[in-house]
Amino acid sequence: MADADLIAATRKAITVHEDGLDVGPAALLKVLQETNSEFSGVGIQKFKKVLTKVKAAIKEEQELARIEALKPKTGSTENCPGRHGLKRFMTNHTSYCCDTCRCYLPEGAPMWGCRQCDWDVCEGRCHPCCMTLSDFRANFMGLESQVEMIHAEGTADMKTRLAQVETEAHKLEKQIDNATIQDLVKFSAVQITEDQARNEKKNLLKKSEGLLSKIETIFHDLRAGDAKTPIAE
């Protein structure tokens, strides 16, 4: 029997014993010998030394864990402070700030966050991911909805908001165009063929071109409206 086996068994016996770290050597050795005949030849003096070392190691681990628990928790680009995991979402206003690089994100930008910890990380710089066809479709629908909403509201900052969406639409179009068919197939949540991925990519590119054309038409109408507005004397 190796000392490592005795140490491992002693540690396990302490964790399950009702007295825990307060258990005496004689009582614990008796438990070990009754449950495993391999320890029948272990003398009390040797076991006392082993038990002392094991208890000291356990106490040190507990103290380190206590100190670690008292440290302020911080998040990272991969996880939130509470280690709940980050979920991808699209920003719905312009006040989102990346908690790692401190950049502000425009409306409709992809981020990764945890609402429980209020921790958000930008996708562009800090948390890049392999985009799937589902991601591209979701991003496109989000931008399309924003264009409809901005157009319908007709607020004073319409041009500024529309320009931000136009920028994100160009980025999305570039991402779709740069995505390889192999990656689209590999990272798809459902099994698809390369032909299906290729056709869907073409369809998304066509839709993104249509969205950009729609935005340009709205800008044209706004400029035409401004030109017709008489200048107050």
Side-chain angles (χ1 to χ4, degrees):
M1 177 201 64
D3 287 347
D5 295 331
L6 179 59
I7 291 173
T10 301
R11 174 184 285 270
K12 184 177 180 180
I14 290 174
T15 59
V16 298
H17 197 281
E18 59 182 6
D19 293 333
L21 288 172
D22 295 327
V23 64
L28 195 62
L29 179 58
K30 182 180 179 181
V31 172
L32 288 177
Q33 291 175 335
E34 289 177 349
T35 55
N36 193 331
S37 59
E38 291 184 2
F39 302 124
S40 59
V42 178
I44 188 64
Q45 294 304 319
K46 177 180 180 178
F47 186 69
K48 283 182 179 180
K49 294 179 181 180
V50 171
L51 183 58
T52 299
K53 291 181 179 180
V54 172
K55 284 186 176 182
I58 293 176
K59 288 179 180 178
E60 183 179 0
E61 291 168 5
Q62 291 177 342
E63 178 62 15
L64 290 175
R66 185 187 69 81
I67 294 173
E68 187 65 27
L70 292 175
K71 291 181 180 179
K73 295 182 178 180
T74 57
S76 67
T77 58
E78 299 300 324
N79 212 337
C80 60
R83 304 297 183 263
H84 303 116
L86 303 180
K87 292 184 178 180
R88 192 172 189 270
F89 68 97
M90 305 297 288
T91 58
N92 54 8
H93 54 74
T94 59
S95 298
Y96 278 99
C97 177
C98 177
D99 288 308
T100 54
C101 71
R102 308 308 302 171
C103 70
Y104 279 89
L105 280 296
E107 185 177 342
M111 292 193 80
W112 293 78
C114 170
R115 297 280 57 82
Q116 188 173 342
C117 292
D118 192 25
W119 182 261
D120 300 300
V121 181
C122 69
E123 183 174 285
R125 297 180 182 178
C126 302
H127 194 102
C129 72
C130 293
M131 299 289 285
T132 67
L133 288 169
S134 296
D135 293 330
F136 288 138
R137 283 193 292 268
N139 289 357
F140 171 79
M141 291 175 66
L143 293 174
E144 190 176 42
S145 296
Q146 286 183 61
V147 171
E148 295 291 344
M149 181 179 66
I150 293 171
H151 193 204
E153 290 176 351
T155 55
D157 62 347
M158 182 176 176
K159 289 183 179 179
T160 300
R161 294 169 65 192
L162 204 59
Q164 291 175 340
V165 177
E166 184 181 36
T167 299
E168 292 304 314
H170 277 296
K171 288 182 181 178
L172 178 60
E173 184 180 44
K174 186 175 181 180
Q175 288 176 333
I176 297 172
D177 193 38
N178 290 338
T180 66
I181 300 302
Q182 291 75 16
D183 282 346
L184 292 176
V185 172
K186 180 180 179 181
F187 294 107
S188 176
V190 295
Q191 188 173 1
I192 58 174
T193 65
E194 289 192 359
D195 284 341
Q196 289 174 319
R198 189 174 291 105
N199 290 335
E200 181 62 19
K201 178 179 177 178
K202 289 180 180 179
N203 186 41
L204 284 168
L205 284 172
K206 185 176 180 180
K207 285 184 176 180
S208 64
E209 289 173 4
L211 180 61
L212 286 167
S213 178
K214 182 175 182 178
I215 294 173
E216 182 56 37
T217 298
I218 297 174
F219 271 128
H220 180 271
D221 293 343
L222 289 172
R223 288 191 292 267
D226 291 341
K228 292 180 181 179
T229 302
I231 301 176
E233 295 182 358

